[in-house]
Amino acid sequence: MRQVNTKTVESSVEKVLKKFQVKHNIPLEWSFENLSGSLKEELCKSVNQVYKNYVYGSFYSSFNGTVYSFNKKEEWIKIVPVYIVFFEKYKRILMNVTNYQLSIFLEKYNSSELMQNILNKVEFISARHSLKEFKEILLQFGQDKCFYCHKTLKKIHVDHFIPWSYIQNDVLWNFVLSCPRCNSSKNN
Ligand SMILES: [Zn+2]
């Protein structure tokens, strides 16, 4: 999806992606997940070079340097602790507002085809943590049957009762154990 406010000029990240795609002869319909480990690494490095120039410092002066500090050479950004607490506390509200505004923005610069399932796209934030630890805890507390169909569990899936895309947090109260069949038949 295009994320710049013009229909004709390519952003620096787009240029990097296209160059990479041509260089390695990568099918256009592939997503990042299709790439091998070494290609993923190479691409991340190239994109990071662009981010270093244009993104690290983007919001720095908007907040007069009060929210975070950064160092391009050493490749780090550091959020002021009080803001980490603030972001954690209001995560869901901030996420909703940001995604809403981002969706409005993206609608302007993308085809309706690309806009399909827009919220799923903008909410794909990061890979989720392993849910294994939650499985251990739930088993320890005697959940040995599928939450949905009540059959005794053989292969065990850990399921977000309220879909992850809505809650975006891995919290124990939202987990149940289920059989693979029930887990895969339930979507967002
Ligand atoms: Zn089941």
Side-chain angles (χ1 to χ4, degrees), residues 157-174:
H157 281 201
V158 181
D159 180 60
H160 289 84
F161 183 71
I162 300 170
W164 189 86
S165 57
Y166 289 100
I167 186 162
Q168 295 194 351
N169 207 341
D170 290 334
V171 280
L172 183 61
W173 59 259
N174 192 37

Side-chain angles (χ1 to χ4, degrees), residues 146-151 178-179 181-183:
C146 171
F147 181 81
Y148 303 102
C149 70
H150 307 294
K151 279 183 191 142
S178 84
C179 67
R181 195 164 164 262
C182 289
N183 188 37

